[in-house]
Structure formats: structure tokens, C-alpha cells
Amino acid sequence: MVGTHGTTVIMILMVALICVMIQKFFKKYLESDQYYYLKDITLIGAWALCGIWMPDGPLRITVAAGAASACIGFCQRATRGKNLRCLYFLVGLVFSLFGPRIAFIEYAGGQYYYLSYFASIAISTIWVGIFPIFFQEIDEIPGLCGLLLTVSWTMISVVILTSSQSLRDASQICVIGLVMLVVFWNRHIYAYRRLTEPLTGLWGTLFAGLSILGVSKGITFYTLALLPLGFFALPITEASVGVVSAFFSPRPAANLMLYRKLITHGYSHPVAIHLVVAVCALLGCLVSAIQIGFPDFFYLLAAVCAIFGVIWVGYSFKRQRGNMNDECRRPRLWGVTVDNISLNYALSRVQHWMNSQRAPHIIVTPDALAALRSRTDERYRRIVRGAGLVLPDGAGLAGALKLNGTPVQERIPGVEFTEHLCRLAEQNGWRVWMLGGEPGVAEAAAAKLMEKYPKLVVAGAGDGFFKPEESGSLCEAIRAAETDILFVGLGVPKQEYWLDEYFAATGAVVGMGIGGSMDVISGKLARAPKLWQSLCLEWLYRAIQEPWRWRRLSKLPLFVWYFLLTRLHIDGYKDDAGEK
């Protein structure tokens, strides 16, 4: 037995070492998104290796179910907008047919209630299938699901590892999970990035399977059901309120209301998610105290305090190294200061605006030439400074910020962000309006978007060839249509000027200048192939389709020249705020 345990420990440590080496080696060669994708693949592969090498059948089936759910998650990402969540219940059915399942309920007093075969299959299927879906709902808030997972996995591991029963299978999966959380710490404990569908599928299934392994080996279902349910009581309640309100209100309550309330009251995003997790952990500990007694309760409380202590130390260390300062969070080039955030976090910001005070916010997506314009255009500079979000669109701007020592997490092209916003609008019932382009282009773009997102509500559309004196009546039409999101494609800087002057009169919550993205969405122009995108040559592909753009692109050498002067600290540029 000792030899078997020793072999298991060596195997887990070898897998962990391989994972660390893979991350260290590829980090300097890959872009941010590619690197995180590699980490996800490595994590899933590490779990699969551990499952294959384990001698116990129930453990292998549990890990196989987690890997299958991760594959479903990859399919969800590849088929954006197509709901494949029902497949998680298929994984749960296979798991309950061939693996451990909830066959009885043992109460705290030692009493048993045995389930029929079909009832056992049904309960186990639902239990396994519902957790990946629930994790995905929590993951809508970047950083929250990873932190909740880390704390809850540690809590349930403490219960299993300190149990008096012999729980070899459950103990092994607990240890593997804890090792993986440590090895991939910055993938799970990261305030501005979602776990995404593959990892929520993997961990959700493993979390459900872990509790079933404990039940099948003797820990009361009452304990291992109440512990996760107690820990997730707050998100479950908030999600339930959101579902019920959707039936009775045109403005349904948002999911994870406590987080959004904290943000509304001025708390930063990292502080808000830490407070939410702290409340959830406290609820889980209290439920555990009622069921497993106060001695074990103090074990759980100590584990939670240790986790938050390590996170706090890591957070403080990052601050001391300058990784959390404004220069990195909001890198600056001349008059343009961009938000160094992920696509998912940017979408969550929009969702917060919609579900809170609903004040008007403008989104700007500058490229290299927009940054060049900010040097001389005071009005454009002021608009960018006051925007709710400034997302780095152009590859030239992102590359310049990287060379300047303040790289952005990821470049967010305006056309992609527009489509993601429309997907979010479809899910939440927000009304969008398309304005700009040549006659018929806005209508064609709206038709394409409704074809891709069938439930999307397009409140109206109109071309950009209107007279200045017609702007007032246009704003009244947009307001009368109860528009939530207004996309304006008039070109830089005209669209930003128009939004600055008229957006408040439209009554919309989000106004975004999308430039030529409307032509791409409508099909008038083709978007650059993936190879061109990976080589950062989208601008060239578009210039080939629209030769008149070469005159505009002739200013790029001037951008490069001024950037070189800036890097050599001999530019001397200062904006109206006195900043370089």
C-alpha cells in the first residue's frame, strides 16, 4: 500500500513538473491568448494523464468525464452562439451508468434512505450535468469562478482528507486538484480573466464527481451536498432571482447582484470579487459547522483564511513590483490612454453599465492613426480621455505599447467586440441601433447580425449621409425606439465628435464608434483571413479592397517617426493636461 501511495505521489509530482516546464518554455514565444490556450490544453492533458495512470476505475471515469466536458467547452467556444449545454447532462448520464453514483442517502444520525436504480441514475445525472453550467454562469464575471473554485475545492478537500473513512479515490482526486491549482495558480487566481467554457466544463464535472466519490465511499450525502450548496448559496439565490424576474419584468435582475452592487458603490473589480468569495466561504463554513461539528468547522475556516492570506500576499507582492499600477492597467501613448483589460472583462463592464445606473457611456477603439491624431486634435483627445472604455483596436497601436514596455493583455478589434456585444444583447434583450455607412449598409449589417443572433432586437438602422441639422430628429427616433446600444460608423474622428455632441440625447446606455466595421459586418467588405490577422496585416488587406485608404495609410511613417522620438525621450510632446 505504501509503495502504491509513493508511486502515485511521484507520478503527480512528475506531471506537475512537466506542466511548469511547458509554461516556462512557451511563455516567451507565444502571444497572450495563445499562451493561455496552451495552458488550458496543458491542464486538461495533465488531468488526463493522471486519470490514465491511476489504478482505480472510479477515478479514471471521473477524470474521463471531466475531459469530455472540457471538449464540450471547446465546442462551445468554436460554435459561438450555439447552446451545447445539454451535452453536459449526457456526460452525467454516462458517468452515472458506468461510474460511481448516488445510490443512497445517509443522514447524520446514521439512518439510510436507498434510492431506486432509476432515481439514482437521474439524481447523479442532474448533479454532474448542472455544475459545469453553473460554473459558466459564475464565470460571466472575470476572475470570480476561478477564485470560488479554488476556495471551494480546498474546503471540500479538507472534509475528505480529514475524514475518518478510507476514501482513497476521493483523496487522490483532491490532491491532484490541489496540485493543479497551485501549478496553474495564475490561470485560476486572476482578477481580469475568465476561466472560459473548457475549464468550467472540466472543473465543474470534477467538482461534482468528487462529491459523488465521497458519498459512494461513506461520507454522508447530507454533508457533501450541503457543503458545495452552502458555499454556492449566494450565487444560486441570485441566479434564481434573475430567472424569476425575467418572467415578470422587461428589465430582469442581473446575475451576481452582490458583485454589481459593490462595483456600483465604488469598489474595484478585484476587491469586489474577493468580498463576494469571502461571503460565500463564510456561508459554506457556517453550513459545515451545523453538519460536521465545530472542530471540523475550524479546519475549514483555517483553510479559507490560509487561501485568502496567500492571495493577499501575492496581491501585495504584485503591487510592490508595479504590476498593478495605472501605467500597466491603463498604458498611454500621447493623448490615448487605453484600458488594459481582456475582452471578457470589457463585456462584463458593459453588462454592469446596463444593469446599474444606466448612465451613458462611450466606447472608443483607437488604432495607430487615432493615437497620432491625438497629438494635435484637442477635441478628440478630450473625448478619448472621458470615454467609458478605450479598447486597443489596431495592431500598430498594440505593438507600439508593447515596445514601450506597457503591453496590453490582448488586442480587441472593433468588429469582434461589436459582434460580442450583439451576442450579449441577444442574451439580455437589449435593443441595438445601427447608424452609419453608405445607404443600405447599416440595414445589411443589421440583417447579418440578426441572422447570426436570431433573438437580437434591432431597434433601427440608418446610413451616415444625414445633414447636421437632422441630428436632433435622429436622436429623437433613437430615444423613441428605447435603444440600449448605439453603433455609429461614421469614421474617425467624425463618429467620436457626433457621439460627444449628441449621444446623451439618444437615451442609449452604450455608444460605440465602429468605423468601417459596419462594412465588414454587412458583407460589403471581406475581413482579412486568419493568416493575415496573425501577421497583423489586416490594414493591408483592407487597403487592397479600398485603394482610397492608401492616402490615409501614408501617415503611418509619421506615426513610426514620432514613436521613435518618444522611445528616445526626445519628442517633447505634452498634451493639454501637461502629460507626455
Side-chain angles (χ1 to χ4, degrees):
M1 181 68 68
V2 175
T4 303
H5 283 302
T7 303
T8 301
V9 171
I10 293 174
M11 179 270 297
I12 295 173
L13 292 178
M14 285 179 58
V15 172
L17 180 61
I18 292 171
C19 292
V20 171
M21 293 173 63
I22 290 174
Q23 294 180 76
K24 291 290 185 182
F25 178 79
F26 285 101
K27 184 174 183 179
K28 52 187 174 183
Y29 297 110
L30 299 177
E31 296 294 331
S32 177
D33 282 350
Q34 296 171 332
Y35 178 62
Y36 277 99
Y37 185 78
L38 174 69
K39 294 182 77 166
D40 293 352
I41 294 291
T42 305
L43 173 58
I44 295 167
W47 267 108
L49 277 177
C50 292
I52 292 171
W53 287 346
M54 287 297 176
D56 302 306
L59 182 58
R60 289 200 300 268
I61 292 173
T62 302
V63 175
S69 294
C71 292
I72 294 173
F74 280 117
C75 292
Q76 284 183 282
R77 290 186 65 180
T79 58
R80 297 173 183 173
K82 294 184 179 179
N83 198 336
L84 301 177
R85 288 182 170 183
C86 59
L87 294 180
Y88 291 118
F89 292 100
L90 179 60
V91 172
L93 177 61
V94 175
F95 178 91
S96 58
L97 287 173
F98 299 99
R101 61 177 181 269
I102 304 168
F104 62 89
I105 298 176
E106 179 186 359
Y107 297 102
Q111 299 175 335
Y112 290 85
Y113 176 77
Y114 289 91
L115 302 171
S116 67
Y117 176 78
F118 291 106
S120 174
I121 293 293
I123 292 176
S124 301
T125 298
I126 294 172
W127 184 260
V128 173
I130 201 69
F131 268 93
I133 299 173
F134 184 59
F135 274 32
Q136 288 181 7
E137 289 297 315
I138 300 176
D139 199 41
E140 290 297 322
I141 304 298
L144 183 56
C145 187
L147 188 56
L148 277 169
L149 165 68
T150 302
V151 178
S152 60
W153 188 278
T154 305
M155 288 176 66
I156 200 170
S157 296
V158 169
V159 172
I160 291 176
L161 293 174
T162 59
S163 172
S164 58
Q165 289 100 332
S166 177
L167 303 171
R168 182 181 176 186
D169 295 339
S171 298
Q172 287 178 340
I173 199 171
C174 282
V175 173
I176 296 172
L178 291 173
V179 170
M180 294 304 168
L181 289 172
V182 171
V183 172
F184 295 90
W185 180 262
N186 62 352
R187 182 65 184 91
H188 298 90
I189 309 299
Y190 191 88
Y192 293 93
R193 186 173 291 275
R194 294 174 55 227
L195 287 184
T196 70
E197 290 82 357
L199 292 194
T200 52
L202 171 73
W203 283 110
T205 302
L206 291 174
F207 193 86
L210 173 61
S211 61
I212 291 180
L213 279 173
V215 171
S216 66
K217 296 299 182 180
I219 292 186
T220 61
F221 178 76
Y222 192 49
T223 299
L224 283 185
L226 279 184
L227 180 56
L229 291 179
F231 188 86
F232 292 108
L234 178 64
I236 289 174
T237 302
E238 292 179 325
S240 301
V241 171
V243 171
V244 173
S245 67
F247 287 97
F248 300 99
S249 172
R251 301 284 186 185
N255 192 15
L256 300 167
M257 291 175 284
L258 176 59
Y259 164 82
R260 302 182 193 284
K261 185 65 69 174
L262 291 170
I263 292 293
T264 303
H265 282 77
Y267 289 90
S268 67
H269 171 71
V271 172
I273 62 173
H274 284 109
L275 288 175
V276 170
V277 174
V279 172
C280 292
L282 179 60
L283 291 174
C285 287
L286 290 176
V287 170
S288 303
I290 297 172
Q291 173 58 27
I292 64 179
F294 280 93
D296 290 330
F297 161 73
F298 286 114
Y299 282 120
L300 289 173
L301 190 60
V304 171
C305 292
I307 293 171
F308 276 96
V310 171
I311 293 172
W312 181 81
V313 170
Y315 184 79
S316 301
F317 181 68
K318 278 190 173 184
R319 288 183 64 92
Q320 291 175 1
R321 293 181 60 185
N323 288 341
M324 299 295 289
N325 59 24
D326 288 339
E327 184 180 3
C328 287
R329 284 287 173 229
R330 302 204 71 204
R332 179 185 183 84
L333 182 62
W334 307 318
V336 169
T337 304
V338 304
D339 292 289
N340 188 6
I341 57 179
S342 66
L343 169 65
N344 296 314
Y345 182 61
L347 292 171
S348 73
R349 287 276 293 274
V350 174
Q351 194 158 29
H352 164 65
W353 295 342
M354 291 291 184
N355 296 322
S356 58
Q357 72 273 19
R358 294 184 63 82
H361 295 83
I362 295 176
I363 299 176
V364 181
T365 56
D367 58 8
L369 294 181
L372 182 63
R373 171 177 289 276
S374 71
R375 294 176 59 92
T376 56
D377 191 331
E378 180 181 347
R379 183 181 181 186
Y380 180 77
R381 196 163 56 233
R382 176 181 56 79
I383 294 170
V384 173
R385 185 179 294 123
L389 277 177
V390 183
L391 306 177
D393 182 352
L397 177 60
L401 291 172
K402 185 176 182 179
L403 292 173
N404 210 31
T406 54
V408 293
Q409 292 184 38
E410 58 181 300
R411 184 172 71 91
I412 306 178
V415 63
E416 289 187 12
F417 193 71
T418 300
E419 292 188 351
H420 279 285
L421 268 186
C422 289
R423 175 181 58 81
L424 203 60
E426 179 195 36
Q427 296 172 356
N428 292 274
W430 303 333
R431 302 167 65 86
V432 305
W433 185 292
M434 310 294 293
L435 176 64
E438 296 179 355
V441 169
E443 290 80 357
K448 290 285 187 181
L449 289 171
M450 287 189 291
E451 180 181 340
K452 189 171 186 178
Y453 309 108
K455 296 182 180 179
L456 177 67
V457 180
V458 177
D463 62 68
F465 290 83
F466 55 88
K467 298 177 181 179
E469 56 268 23
E470 296 174 339
S471 293
S473 58
L474 182 60
C475 291
E476 292 178 5
I478 295 172
R479 177 183 285 273
E482 298 182 347
T483 303
D484 296 301
I485 302 176
L486 173 62
F487 296 109
V488 181
L490 303 178
V492 179
K494 184 178 178 181
Q495 59 196 19
E496 283 75 24
Y497 291 167
W498 193 90
L499 284 169
D500 178 55
E501 186 171 355
Y502 295 104
F503 181 59
T506 65
V509 179
V510 174
M512 178 177 172
I514 62 175
S517 296
M518 195 171 294
D519 291 328
V520 176
I521 295 172
S522 68
K524 179 184 176 183
L525 295 178
R527 194 179 179 192
K530 292 291 185 181
L531 178 60
W532 290 64
Q533 294 180 37
S534 62
L535 296 174
C536 300
L537 293 176
E538 289 179 273
W539 60 272
L540 178 59
Y541 190 86
R542 186 168 178 186
I544 294 173
Q545 298 181 80
E546 296 181 312
W548 62 267
R549 283 187 170 272
W550 286 106
R551 185 173 61 179
R552 184 170 179 263
L553 294 175
S554 63
K555 297 179 181 179
L556 283 176
L558 189 61
F559 170 83
V560 175
W561 169 251
Y562 279 121
F563 178 72
L564 288 175
L565 295 179
T566 301
R567 288 294 294 150
L568 295 172
H569 304 287
I570 57 176
D571 184 5
Y573 163 79
K574 288 187 178 182
D575 63 17
D576 46 297
E579 298 178 343
K580 293 185 177 181

